[in-house]
Amino acid sequence: MSMEAYEAANKLAHKAYRAAMNRGEYPYLKALDDFLPYEKTAGERYIGIVEIPLYFIVGTKTAGRQNSFAKNFMPLLNPDTEFAYKWANLQDAQLEEGIRDPIVVYEYMHRFYVMEGNKRVSVLKSLNAVTISAKVTRIIPKKTDEPLNKIYYEFMDFYDDTRLYDIWFSQEGSFKKLKKYYGYEPGQRWTEESRMSLHSEFLNFRKEYKAKGGDKLNITTGDAFLAYIDIFPAWELMTADSDTVRENLTKMWDEFLTISQNKAMKILLEPQQKEKPASGLTVLKNKLLIDTKKKLKIAFIYENSVANSAWNYAHEMGRMHLEQVFGEKVQTAVYEHAEYTDNSEDIIDLAIQDGNKIIFTVAAQLTNASAKAAVKHPEIKILNCSTNSKYRAIRTYYCRIYESKFLLGIIAGALSETNDIGYMADAPIFSAITNANAFALGAQMVNPRIHVHLRWSSVKDEAKKVFPDSVHLISEKDWINPKNPTRKYGLYRRNADGSVDNIAAAMCHWGKLYELVIRSIMENTWKVDVEKNKNRALNYWWGISAGVLEVVCSQKLPDGTKMLVDMLTENIRSRIFNPFECTWTAQDGTVINEAGNHLEPEDIFKMNYLAENIIGGIPALDELQERVQEFVRLQGGFE
């Protein structure tokens, strides 16, 4: 029986050998000593006797026995050799009483290389075992700025806390995120219960994920596991049956495909236009289909109340616009107080139970809850108002506010008498940094001597929010809180007597944006975006050209300045001009762009540096108010 097992393993070895040769790859086990010069390491550390995952054992320490095995660790030597006889006897021993003696391995960059025990590894791999006992010595790489090196150093911290080798990620910050999910801070030692819980949950997940073909995706099992527990709680894996896990994996599969893309998010700068119908009959048919359908039920979910929030009030005007435009064809509903850390998932579920087929969640803090609901209910269209989502199950949307901020900068630069103007930003997320840069470039275009003093309303230190006395013109939020109105919005001038003169403001026409989205669903162009962007998370980032954004100016604005703003507005609308296509430099002296060139939307979207004429900086995460920090983590790329 044991020689039959050897012959079966030998066939697998030769199959792997031929496949490697056909791909032009080395067909034997890798030898660590062949590619790791000692001078590239930072020393060694004996870890002890550990149960290590067999799937992370990839080669041998030295070149001695490497040619006896194919890349998959199956034996290559003929069945009539002494090697085959020993292999077969070892398998008999494993089946009868188990292999008890630990092998000896070296670990480098989270992969294991065998010093003693190659046949034991081969036998256990042939039996589809999961782990093996090993004496582990870690070879520590020198610290560098390479992403893989940074991930490995994060893993070493994770291992010190958990003593687990099973999980590996391909993205920085993932080990920290996993610790946080289980309620542990960096450097905090895990309890044995937590450690075993994670180990069991991960292995349960891995079994079903691999059976479904997860190993063929361009992500690690750890990446997939982290995405899975974002949607379906990890503790459910402890008791869920295989059918439930497989069903959840099917729902999540598109998200795994999205994660595996190098550029997961696709920014759509313009609404999808409906193609002209072939005939008048088609128009009549479409009209009849729309007119005879039941009312389209649409929900708007707000993090807090409409009455106490300028942001929510602006979107509430957008909801009312939908009712005015579509009349009896739609029915809208409002759900308030979907706090991020409390009941957001319950409120979204309630909106679904109430029969709403389209849901707008109007806060970036609701992104995760929106994605969870969308994965569980693929028949519901869920959109989240935010700027940086990784989920394919939902669509995100926002206005290209930087276009209007550039125009406000033009006005401020033209009107400034001191060459100092102020800009009050909210939280340092990607789009907010982009907006500040656009404002500074607009001001610089009309006044090369201008300086923009940048402040952040979300920092803890009140002193850091104060503008110098030389600043008379200030750009602040463009939305007014209906319950606490103030003149300090948009671009305004502060006078010596404390009064304020409003000069201009940027307006996001959320109603127009919502109208365009609903029309795309009614006219079936919603599906075109998906067909054109397979396995991508979609973000609608529309601006002046789509009619969802404009700058409203005071009648006191000088005619010449108003003409300049109108001309630039039309050039932006027709896509002739983009605010970032000029020559400009960052604070550190890096030339960001040369005149005539253009930045890709992703480069504009994710700016994390400031223009050279900005005085101020981007605050660190711990400088921000507690309520803002989680929001910035979601949207700003701090982790």
Side-chain angles (χ1 to χ4, degrees):
M1 182 67 181
S2 56
M3 286 308 300
E4 291 178 4
Y6 183 86
E7 290 172 359
N10 186 247
K11 288 180 181 179
L12 292 175
H14 284 282
K15 182 178 179 181
Y17 178 93
R18 291 191 297 271
M21 292 295 288
N22 290 336
R23 294 193 298 266
E25 298 174 354
Y26 186 66
Y28 305 108
L29 294 176
K30 293 188 294 184
L32 182 62
D33 288 349
D34 286 348
F35 67 88
L36 183 65
Y38 184 78
E39 60 268 19
K40 289 188 177 181
T41 67
E44 297 181 358
R45 175 186 170 192
Y46 179 64
I47 301 298
I49 298 178
V50 184
E51 284 291 318
I52 63 173
L54 276 160
Y55 46 86
F56 285 139
I57 302 178
V58 297
T60 63
K61 174 63 166 62
T62 63
R65 275 290 192 182
Q66 67 184 126
N67 292 358
S68 301
F69 302 91
K71 293 183 67 174
N72 59 354
F73 251 102
M74 293 299 101
L76 278 169
L77 300 186
N78 291 333
D80 58 357
T81 61
E82 181 182 1
F83 175 92
Y85 177 77
K86 290 181 178 179
W87 191 100
N89 284 340
L90 191 60
Q91 195 198 55
D92 285 340
Q94 166 61 23
L95 293 175
E96 291 172 6
E97 57 186 39
I99 297 174
R100 298 175 182 178
D101 294 334
I103 62 173
V104 178
V105 300
Y106 281 79
E107 181 252 313
Y108 177 70
M109 296 296 288
H110 201 259
R111 296 296 183 269
F112 299 99
Y113 301 85
V114 181
M115 186 71 178
E116 295 178 11
N118 287 302
K119 284 193 289 294
R120 278 171 276 174
V121 172
S122 181
V123 166
L124 286 175
K125 278 181 176 274
S126 74
L127 294 170
N128 295 316
V130 176
T131 64
I132 188 171
S133 180
K135 296 178 180 178
V136 180
T137 299
R138 175 179 295 159
I139 300 176
I140 302 172
K142 289 184 178 179
K143 202 167 188 177
T144 70
D145 288 331
E146 294 178 358
L148 187 60
N149 184 277
K150 290 182 177 179
I151 294 169
Y152 184 72
Y153 269 79
E154 288 182 4
F155 160 74
M156 287 196 292
D157 291 337
F158 174 80
Y159 182 83
D160 287 343
D161 296 338
T162 64
R163 307 294 292 178
L164 290 176
Y165 260 116
D166 303 80
I167 302 175
W168 179 252
F169 297 111
S170 65
Q171 298 294 323
E172 292 179 54
S174 296
F175 283 107
K176 294 179 182 177
K177 185 175 180 181
L178 183 62
K179 288 179 185 179
K180 185 177 179 182
Y181 183 92
Y182 278 84
Y184 286 92
E185 296 297 324
Q188 184 179 359
R189 189 62 58 91
W190 286 40
T191 65
E192 182 65 15
E193 181 181 1
S194 295
R195 191 184 78 83
M196 293 306 297
S197 176
L198 171 58
H199 185 250
S200 175
E201 290 158 5
F202 179 76
L203 291 183
N204 287 346
F205 171 83
R206 183 182 180 278
K207 176 184 174 183
E208 300 301 333
Y209 177 74
K210 185 178 179 181
K212 194 169 174 62
D215 288 351
K216 298 176 182 178
L217 300 183
N218 189 32
I219 55 175
T220 72
T221 307
D223 294 334
F225 177 72
L226 197 57
Y228 183 93
I229 64 176
D230 256 349
I231 305 299
F232 302 101
W235 57 265
E236 292 181 354
L237 286 165
M238 292 288 287
T239 56
D241 57 40
S242 297
D243 290 340
T244 299
V245 178
R246 283 196 290 268
E247 181 183 346
N248 291 343
L249 284 171
T250 299
K251 292 178 179 179
M252 282 288 300
W253 209 252
D254 283 346
E255 298 304 322
F256 299 148
L257 293 173
T258 298
I259 296 169
S260 68
Q261 296 285 322
N262 290 330
K263 294 183 178 179
M265 182 178 67
K266 176 65 176 177
I267 299 171
L268 303 178
L269 299 177
E270 302 295 336
Q272 180 67 45
Q273 298 296 316
K274 181 185 178 185
E275 294 183 4
K276 290 185 178 181
S279 66
L281 181 62
T282 306
V283 175
L284 178 60
K285 188 182 294 184
N286 287 343
K287 187 175 188 301
L288 288 172
L289 283 172
I290 294 173
D291 289 346
T292 56
K293 282 182 179 178
K294 294 180 180 179
K295 284 186 177 183
L296 187 60
K297 298 188 72 173
I298 306 166
F300 283 75
I301 298 180
Y302 300 114
E303 187 190 16
N304 40 50
S305 72
V306 171
N308 294 329
S309 167
W311 171 261
N312 290 341
Y313 184 76
H315 287 271
E316 181 65 4
M317 295 299 100
R319 181 191 67 80
M320 295 170 66
H321 174 87
L322 281 186
E323 292 188 335
Q324 292 175 348
V325 169
F326 292 104
E328 293 298 313
K329 295 177 183 176
V330 302
Q331 178 181 331
T332 66
V334 172
Y335 299 80
E336 296 180 303
H337 301 292
E339 280 78 9
Y340 172 68
T341 57
D342 191 8
N343 60 342
S344 54
E345 294 177 38
D346 292 339
I347 290 182
I348 295 174
D349 286 343
L350 177 60
I352 293 172
Q353 292 171 19
D354 289 344
N356 292 288
K357 300 301 181 183
I358 302 170
I359 297 175
F360 294 100
T361 56
V362 189
Q365 292 90 331
L366 301 176
T367 303
N368 279 14
S370 301
K372 290 180 181 181
V375 167
K376 295 174 182 178
H377 301 278
E379 75 282 4
I380 307 298
K381 294 177 174 64
I382 300 180
L383 299 96
N384 175 255
C385 190
S386 62
T387 59
N388 187 27
S389 171
K390 62 186 179 183
Y391 298 106
R392 185 175 178 229
I394 62 173
R395 299 193 191 181
T396 53
Y397 62 95
Y398 213 80
C399 294
R400 291 198 300 272
I401 298 175
Y402 76 82
E403 294 176 346
S404 59
K405 290 297 185 182
F406 171 81
L407 297 172
L408 292 180
I410 291 281
I411 297 171
L415 299 186
S416 175
E417 298 172 353
T418 63
N419 293 332
D420 289 312
I421 54 180
Y423 187 95
M424 181 66 77
D426 187 12
I429 61 176
F430 287 126
S431 58
I433 297 169
T434 299
N435 297 341
N437 283 334
F439 180 84
L441 292 180
Q444 191 177 53
M445 179 176 285
V446 295
N447 185 349
R449 297 172 299 280
I450 203 77
H451 290 100
V452 176
H453 295 262
L454 176 62
R455 301 291 183 267
W456 298 91
S457 64
S458 56
V459 296
K460 299 173 185 176
D461 189 345
E462 292 295 323
K464 292 184 178 180
K465 303 178 186 180
V466 178
F467 291 105
D469 293 339
S470 60
V471 171
H472 301 151
L473 292 166
I474 299 172
S475 173
E476 285 208 31
K477 288 183 178 180
D478 297 296
W479 296 281
I480 305 172
N481 189 325
K483 201 165 185 179
N484 186 27
T486 175
R487 295 291 296 275
K488 292 184 178 181
Y489 68 91
L491 178 66
Y492 63 88
R493 184 192 301 277
R494 60 179 184 181
N495 301 314
D497 61 1
S499 62
V500 167
D501 294 329
N502 296 103
I503 298 171
M507 291 188 63
C508 287
H509 294 295
W510 295 110
K512 180 63 176 177
L513 188 149
Y514 290 130
E515 177 189 343
L516 289 169
V517 171
I518 297 305
R519 287 195 188 282
S520 77
I521 294 170
M522 288 181 169
E523 296 171 355
N524 216 29
T525 57
W526 171 272
K527 295 181 180 179
V528 176
D529 289 330
V530 174
E531 293 166 358
K532 288 183 176 180
N533 301 281
K534 295 291 186 182
N535 302 327
R536 304 287 290 274
L538 300 182
N539 174 262
Y540 296 143
W541 201 29
W542 299 340
I544 290 174
S545 57
V548 301
L549 188 66
E550 71 169 322
V551 170
V552 178
C553 299
S554 165
Q555 293 182 351
K556 297 178 181 180
L557 193 67
D559 290 342
T561 305
K562 182 67 165 62
M563 289 178 62
L564 177 60
V565 170
D566 289 344
M567 180 188 70
L568 289 170
T569 299
E570 289 308 308
N571 285 342
I572 294 172
R573 190 189 312 278
S574 59
R575 308 293 296 277
I576 296 173
F577 174 76
N578 184 292
F580 292 111
E581 290 182 356
C582 58
T583 299
W584 64 288
T585 305
Q587 286 179 331
D588 64 359
T590 302
V591 177
I592 301 300
N593 194 58
E594 298 279 1
N597 297 331
H598 74 280
L599 298 177
E600 294 297 326
E602 290 79 6
D603 295 329
I604 296 174
F605 193 79
K606 291 194 172 183
M607 287 181 180
N608 60 355
Y609 48 82
L610 297 172
E612 65 177 344
N613 65 323
I614 291 179
I615 298 175
I618 302 171
L621 192 62
D622 59 5
E623 295 181 80
L624 303 174
Q625 298 165 6
E626 295 294 332
R627 63 176 181 81
V628 179
Q629 291 186 17
E630 186 63 32
F631 170 66
V632 173
R633 286 191 185 98
L634 284 170
Q635 295 290 301
F638 271 94
E639 294 186 353

